[in-house]
Amino acid sequence: MRDNRFTTILPITALLLAALLKPAGFAALASQSSPQAVRFTDVTAASGIHFTHNAGKTGKKWLPETMGSGVAIFDADGDGRLDILFINGADFVGRGRRTTAALYRNLGGGKFADITRGSGLDVEMHGMGVAVGDYDNDGRDDVYITALDGDHLFHNEGNGHFRDMTKQSGIANARFSSSAAWVDYDRDGKLDLFVANYVQWTAAGDLWCSLDGSTKSYCTPESYKGNSVRLFHNLGGGKFEDATQKAGLGDSSSKSLGIAVLDYNNDGWPDVFVSNDTQPNRLYRNLGNGTFKDEALGAGVAFGEDGSARGAMGVDAADYDRAGRMDLIVGNFSNQMLGLYHNDGNGLFVDEAPRSPVGRSSLLSLTFGLFFFDYDLDGLPDIFAANGHIEEQIAQVQPKIHYAELPLLFHNDGGGKFNPVAAFSKPLVARGAAYGDIDGDGDLDIAINNNNGPAVLYRNDGGNRNHWLAVRLEGTKSNRDGIGAVVRVRSAQGAQMQMVHSGSSYCSASDLALTFGLGNDPVANSVEIEWPSGRKQKLQNVKSNQRLVIREQ
């Protein structure tokens, strides 16, 4: 085990940068691993993580009970190791117990310690999602938690301590929020906040729904009115203003669960994809003047292939075929399969899932947590889907559908082709899922928050048989996290591109560092960064198997 520490690259000339880059000391790895060579090991108990999600179940089948919650992987205390934050629900009816989110400090050596008490994050709420980003550019990542009863903004005070700054910030959102993402939509160097809101539900207004016509079940969102997303513009000094209407984002029909930030038309401005549950998805094109325009219908991502709105949850964006354009993947309800939208350019996407193993293998699953990541470091983004139904008794009316479901892993075989890999054997009622290199060995591990059940931490064993390069950005003129920056890595096997982004998956936050798999290549010929500020940097002849912090110059 190694600490997840990064080598800092200071703003000096590219020639000197190339001379200073050193390998992190990992042995050269001679051959590319096959999909079968990687194993995801459940290390939850061994790591000291013992978190169990409280859905606040009342027996009344209230909709919010089955929707939470998410998980974040980030360095909460600034020691260079990735910590884990599990978001929690709360009892609707008093039972004499108090549950909060749980913050686990990474001690190294595969061990974690619960440091929640006294951290400032130990606030009782019916939490849903989480977004991580340095909104005041002080070098420490802050935390935004979405909640049924009102969101919270926590400022990182250092050393694993946080302060609730919600009231002082001017942010007010109590609309059954779900996912959230930090995005510098106006590229002024300060992170703004995009929040997805679900439906207009209250305990007093709860509706009676049934699967069998006699017993109550969880209602689908068609039964409730929608909620608009919210955009909070960062004014600086810890203050935000609601810019939703001014930005052209007001839409009370939305029932939003997932957010992916991407630059789908490569114009340098961050766009936003929003997955809507039983309503058309939205693809908000950033017009570069502080406003957005929904292009989802014309782009082909508003509906499923049959022209109907699907039950969309988790979402992510990546250039999965190295075409230089960001594609989309969307998690949907059971009997709907994943949506794998290939970006064909000119603003058009085509759903490849119905014609691929991705569609066939995911048809019966209900997918919440979802992301692209290169689990075997061969240089091609793979797909992970965390699944679990919302209704415990679903098998009684649909025998092929199960409440607890296996996670799905699809290996990217190149050429836009994916194939399922049998990597997991334990069915879960999964909701949020996030990735990060928690043990510092180069490959990416997975944390999952399960609805009303114990969390799971999967360690990636064998992914680092291939070479890799991890890049963390530090903005100076751009926002400190470099969110919105595009990094292109070129090696002998070809070119690949990633964008630093918050959000994605479902109600969760993955590590902001970018991990590039290099396969058999021991050196990246070049690493190019396009910062949100418009500045560009280029490093040459970067040795593999190391972690770098690159500071904007």
Side-chain angles (χ1 to χ4, degrees):
M1 301 281 183
R2 293 179 182 267
D3 289 352
N4 189 17
R5 300 184 186 276
F6 286 73
T7 300
T8 301
I9 303 302
L10 299 173
I12 50 182
T13 67
L15 181 61
L16 186 54
L17 282 171
L20 288 177
L21 294 178
K22 301 292 183 181
F26 291 86
L29 302 170
S31 62
Q32 181 172 317
S33 64
S34 67
Q36 294 77 20
V38 179
R39 183 177 71 255
F40 284 91
T41 304
D42 185 343
V43 295
T44 316
S47 70
I49 291 174
H50 47 79
F51 173 80
T52 297
H53 177 258
N54 174 24
K57 293 195 173 184
T58 62
K60 299 179 180 180
K61 298 279 187 172
W62 285 352
L63 180 59
E65 297 171 356
T66 195
M67 300 306 295
S69 295
V71 57
I73 296 179
F74 72 114
D75 184 1
D77 56 1
D79 67 353
R81 293 186 290 266
L82 292 178
D83 311 300
I84 305 177
L85 174 65
F86 294 99
I87 306 304
N88 209 352
D91 288 342
F92 286 98
V93 180
R95 298 180 184 174
R97 63 175 176 173
R98 181 178 184 272
T99 55
T100 73
L103 178 62
Y104 283 88
R105 170 177 279 164
N106 190 336
L107 304 177
K111 300 296 183 181
F112 288 80
D114 188 341
I115 61 167
T116 311
R117 182 173 295 181
S119 68
L121 296 174
D122 49 345
V123 177
E124 189 171 30
M125 69 183 92
H126 200 97
M128 290 292 297
V130 56
V132 174
D134 184 1
Y135 73 82
D136 60 349
N137 293 325
D138 67 352
R140 297 186 295 267
D141 277 330
D142 310 299
V143 172
Y144 186 83
I145 297 180
T146 65
L148 176 67
D149 44 354
D151 301 352
H152 292 258
L153 176 65
F154 294 96
H155 182 262
N156 191 332
E157 304 285 297
N159 198 32
H161 292 91
F162 295 80
R163 179 182 297 181
D164 192 334
M165 301 296 289
T166 313
K167 291 182 179 180
Q168 297 92 323
S169 72
I171 293 175
N173 189 57
R175 301 190 178 193
F176 195 166
S177 48
S178 52
S179 296
W182 294 101
V183 53
D184 185 4
Y185 76 96
D186 55 357
R187 291 169 48 182
D188 66 352
K190 301 185 294 292
L191 288 178
D192 313 297
L193 184 65
F194 197 106
V195 183
N197 291 310
Y198 195 34
V199 297
Q200 298 180 34
W201 178 93
T202 63
D206 182 70
L207 300 175
W208 193 90
C209 300
S210 178
L211 287 172
D212 58 14
S214 60
T215 57
K216 191 176 190 297
S217 62
Y218 292 108
C219 289
T220 61
E222 291 105 325
S223 305
Y224 297 98
K225 293 181 179 179
N227 262 322
S228 176
V229 300
R230 302 287 292 279
L231 176 65
F232 295 99
H233 179 241
N234 190 336
L235 301 173
K239 302 293 185 181
F240 292 79
E241 66 173 352
D242 189 336
T244 309
Q245 298 300 327
K246 183 166 56 177
L249 296 169
D251 176 16
S252 60
S253 69
S254 287
K255 301 174 182 180
S256 306
L257 290 176
I259 301 170
V261 180
L262 71 162
D263 181 6
Y264 78 93
N265 55 0
N266 290 335
D267 66 353
W269 292 91
D271 311 301
V272 181
F273 178 88
V274 178
S275 58
N276 277 317
D277 192 356
T278 71
Q279 290 292 312
N281 299 321
R282 305 296 185 192
L283 178 60
Y284 291 112
R285 178 165 64 93
N286 190 332
L287 301 181
N289 60 3
T291 67
F292 293 81
K293 181 182 179 182
D294 180 22
E295 302 279 6
L297 184 60
V301 295
F303 300 100
E305 197 174 56
D306 61 357
S308 63
R310 297 192 282 194
M313 277 80 68
V315 61
D316 197 14
D319 177 15
Y320 71 73
D321 61 349
R322 294 188 173 188
R325 299 182 296 268
M326 298 189 76
D327 312 295
L328 284 163
I329 189 163
V330 182
N332 294 307
F333 210 77
S334 52
N335 294 313
Q336 292 180 342
M337 75 177 60
L338 296 176
L340 181 62
Y341 295 100
H342 181 261
N343 187 340
D344 283 355
N346 299 317
L348 299 175
F349 291 77
V350 175
D351 188 356
E352 299 289 348
R355 292 170 290 279
S356 82
V358 171
R360 294 190 294 272
S361 299
S362 65
L363 180 60
L364 299 181
S365 298
L366 197 164
T367 300
F368 280 91
L370 177 70
F371 47 75
F372 291 105
F373 76 140
D374 187 358
Y375 77 87
D376 60 349
L377 302 175
D378 64 355
L380 295 168
D382 310 298
I383 298 170
F384 174 81
N387 308 307
H389 211 275
I390 63 170
E391 178 56 61
E392 295 98 322
Q393 309 304 322
I394 187 62
Q396 295 182 10
V397 294
Q398 298 185 47
K400 293 183 178 181
I401 309 295
H402 302 283
Y403 180 51
E405 301 174 338
L406 286 176
L408 296 176
L409 184 67
F410 296 94
H411 183 258
N412 189 335
D413 293 338
K417 305 297 183 182
F418 292 87
N419 277 297
V421 176
F424 302 95
S425 59
K426 180 180 179 181
L428 305 171
V429 186
R431 295 298 182 258
Y435 61 84
D437 182 9
I438 57 123
D439 54 0
D441 66 352
D443 52 31
L444 296 170
D445 313 294
I446 300 171
I448 300 174
N449 202 350
N450 292 297
N451 183 259
N452 211 48
V456 181
L457 178 63
Y458 287 110
R459 187 184 65 210
N460 184 334
D461 292 329
N464 59 5
R465 287 183 173 89
N466 279 322
H467 294 297
W468 53 272
L469 185 67
V471 177
R472 187 180 300 278
L473 300 186
E474 185 178 301
T476 53
K477 186 177 180 182
S478 304
N479 67 84
R480 182 65 177 253
D481 283 325
I483 288 175
V486 173
V487 180
R488 292 181 171 85
V489 172
R490 290 175 172 82
S491 65
Q493 64 166 283
Q496 51 185 305
M497 174 266 285
Q498 294 187 47
M499 179 179 181
V500 182
H501 63 282
S502 174
S504 287
S505 191
Y506 171 76
C507 289
S508 297
S510 295
D511 182 25
L512 291 173
L514 303 179
T515 296
F516 291 89
L518 298 179
N520 295 325
D521 299 340
V523 173
N525 298 333
S526 66
V527 177
E528 300 178 23
I529 305 100
E530 296 179 11
W531 296 90
S533 65
R535 294 177 176 179
K536 297 182 179 180
Q537 283 176 255
K538 185 174 183 179
L539 287 63
Q540 294 178 317
N541 299 321
V542 182
K543 293 184 178 181
S544 66
N545 300 346
Q546 63 170 323
R547 292 170 289 276
L548 304 176
V549 174
I550 302 176
R551 186 173 299 162
E552 184 179 15
Q553 61 173 309

